[in-house]
Amino acid sequence: MKIETKAVHAGDRKADPARRGSFVPVTTPIFTASSYVYESTDKLDRVMGQEEPGYCYGRYDNPTLAALEELITELEGGAGSLACASGMLAIQTALLTALTDRPKRVLASNALYGATVSMLTKVLEPLGVDAEFVDVCDVAAVEQKLAAMRPGCVIMETISNPLLRVGPIDRIAALCRSAKAALVVDNTFATPLLVRPLQLGANLVVHSVTKFLAGHGDVLGGVVTADADHFPILRTLNRTSGVGLGPFEAYLTMRGIKTFVLRMERQCANACRIASWLGGHPGIARVYYPADPGHPDSETIGRLLPKGLHGAIVTFDLKDAGKAEVFGFMDRLKLIVKGTSLGDVHSLMLYPAIASHRDLAPKQRERMGITDGTLRLCAGIEAVDDLIADLDQALRPA
Ligand SMILES: *Cc1c(COP(=O)(O)O)cnc(C)c1O
């Protein structure tokens, strides 16, 4: 079945008795119960002992979450998923799963979401997990680091934030396999419509479902999808920690996913138009967009991304701009929403220096190529002419 069909059908109307009675609801209801009862104690005993499938306690699993998890597992092509209360919790849980029976060392992409860098350096390093960074677009450098460091796991993003670099997941997965390191991929920016990392050899995929999958700016959540080797560890970890998403958020996420393919196609097309338009504007110093033939990763992009789907995010540098000029530009925007986050039906403009990458030292940001004039736009589903008109007027200083 194609992804458009799976997005609408997977997870719903299942034979699972907890998700249906004598009638079958067309969509999965919101189950709020924290515990579950059975007619016989014998059955409860078997469910508690995990000898028989079933639900007994909300921390272990929940029928609404199970439906969402099945849906995302279908989209990513994994063995199973765990829906988490946030994208960051999904990343933390994926890293703990990867490191359970491996050396406590993480080799991380040097172009990661700011909070992921902070998690590595401020949470995991003090706990004794070493972290080192590498340019994942440089396969030789990754190979060298793997040999020198012998990490238990490698973490990268499919399309990096905010400069939109695309690393060769397939080649890195092959190197990780030989080095016995798990590969964790944050697929938030690409979504399973563009790339399915497990099918390229990754072991664990994470999403902030807050973004494109839920898609309407009304959910905070995450998900980890694992291959068959890692799924049992992931579930066991959750039994003792209860990182699960709330059932109401799971319902909203599932509802959002039904239209995610349509939204994503429109958002990618809008972003592509906006990137070309910005490229011809005299007030713009530089545009970053994966469809650009001059993109440094164009070979990987041609191999891994589908034709015409290059993501909904456009990053650009305002010419000769510091904080004051960027603030002025942001204040002049009338339609594009100036908020942190991305992936919503409405277009969002973000200033990485004060938002996603705020916690990093200015020098560290500079090393990553993020300047004081760098802005990140995530195209929504609006009419693209209206978005361009808004950018056009905001680029004209008062
Ligand atoms: C937003 C985001 C996260 C964190 O997700 P939350 O849902 O905010 O916890 C992680 N990775 C990427 C690429 C993101 O965009």
Side-chain angles (χ1 to χ4, degrees):
M1 236 187 286
K2 294 247 167 73
I3 192 164
E4 292 84 346
T5 312
K6 287 180 179 173
V8 175
H9 289 280
D12 275 326
R13 301 177 294 281
K14 297 307 298 217
D16 183 343
R19 283 192 247 161
R20 57 188 278 186
S22 54
F23 51 86
V24 181
V26 292
T27 51
T28 303
I30 302 169
F31 288 85
T32 55
S34 54
S35 61
Y36 302 82
V37 295
Y38 294 91
E39 269 176 26
S40 87
T41 309
D42 189 47
K43 165 121 180 164
L44 178 63
D45 178 38
R46 287 197 304 274
V47 171
M48 300 262 296
Q50 299 180 70
E51 293 150 25
E52 194 174 306
Y55 301 91
C56 57
Y57 189 53
R59 195 177 70 232
Y60 306 155
D61 40 28
N62 165 292
T64 311
L65 267 70
L68 170 66
E69 288 163 349
E70 182 176 329
L71 169 58
I72 294 176
T73 301
E74 281 285 321
L75 299 182
E76 285 289 357
S81 300
L82 177 70
C84 303
S86 73
M88 290 316 301
L89 198 45
I91 292 172
Q92 183 175 308
T93 308
L95 289 174
L96 294 181
T97 300
L99 293 179
T100 297
D101 49 8
R102 290 192 180 87
K104 311 302 176 232
R105 296 187 288 275
V106 178
L107 179 58
S109 160
N110 63 5
L112 286 176
Y113 182 64
T116 308
V117 177
S118 299
M119 179 185 294
L120 290 167
T121 57
K122 295 181 182 163
V123 180
L124 294 177
E125 271 200 314
L127 288 171
V129 176
D130 284 337
E132 289 187 28
F133 296 87
V134 69
D135 176 1
V136 292
C137 296
D138 180 346
V139 176
V142 174
E143 189 165 18
Q144 196 179 6
K145 272 280 189 191
L146 281 169
M149 186 195 184
R150 301 234 137 262
C153 133
V154 173
I155 179 166
M156 63 184 287
E157 294 171 7
T158 317
I159 302 178
S160 80
N161 180 15
L163 298 180
L164 314 178
R165 295 298 304 266
V166 181
I169 295 176
D170 49 352
R171 291 182 186 151
I172 291 170
L175 292 176
C176 286
R177 210 169 313 120
S178 328
K180 297 190 164 39
L183 178 60
V184 177
V185 177
D186 181 339
N187 200 28
T188 300
F189 272 38
T191 82
L193 178 64
L194 272 60
V195 179
R196 292 183 276 283
L198 293 170
Q199 293 173 0
L200 299 173
N203 304 103
L204 293 143
V205 171
V206 298
H207 282 277
S208 166
V209 305
T210 312
K211 316 293 169 55
F212 295 102
L213 293 181
H216 294 74
D218 54 8
V219 178
L220 188 90
V223 68
V224 189
T225 305
D227 64 12
D229 287 345
H230 294 85
F231 184 56
I233 308 171
L234 182 66
R235 294 287 347 170
T236 303
L237 237 157
N238 179 61
R239 278 179 86 81
T240 59
S241 56
V243 303
L245 187 61
F248 185 61
E249 285 76 11
Y251 164 80
L252 283 175
T253 304
M254 204 161 172
R255 183 185 170 98
I257 289 176
K258 289 177 193 295
T259 55
F260 110 89
V261 174
L262 290 175
R263 287 187 278 108
M264 193 65 187
E265 285 172 350
R266 172 68 162 263
Q267 288 175 263
C268 289
N270 282 357
C272 196
R273 269 282 304 280
I274 291 168
S276 324
W277 182 82
L278 286 171
H281 195 285
I284 303 297
R286 184 165 174 184
V287 179
Y288 302 83
Y289 190 64
D292 177 359
H295 190 287
D297 310 314
S298 56
E299 191 267 328
T300 305
I301 291 165
R303 196 174 71 249
L304 300 186
L305 298 191
K307 285 217 169 9
L309 293 172
H310 292 93
I313 298 171
V314 183
T315 300
F316 55 96
D317 292 342
L318 285 188
K319 197 172 271 175
D320 306 321
K323 224 175 205 174
E325 290 75 19
V326 171
F327 279 23
F329 166 76
M330 300 267 284
D331 288 345
R332 286 190 294 275
L333 289 170
K334 293 183 179 132
L335 176 66
I336 296 168
V337 181
K338 294 150 285 190
T340 188
S341 198
L342 60 112
D344 290 336
V345 285
H346 45 265
S347 295
L348 280 156
M349 185 74 75
L350 171 134
Y351 184 25
I354 66 157
S356 60
H357 293 68
R358 186 188 187 107
D359 286 351
L360 304 183
K363 270 243 145 39
Q364 204 174 349
R365 271 201 302 271
E366 214 172 282
R367 250 200 325 270
M368 294 170 85
I370 302 164
T371 72
D372 279 350
T374 304
L375 283 151
R376 187 193 81 192
L377 170 67
C378 182
I381 63 170
E382 302 97 329
V384 70
D385 293 340
D386 290 331
L387 297 174
I388 288 175
D390 193 31
L391 291 167
D392 193 33
Q393 63 81 24
L395 282 166
R396 272 183 235 131

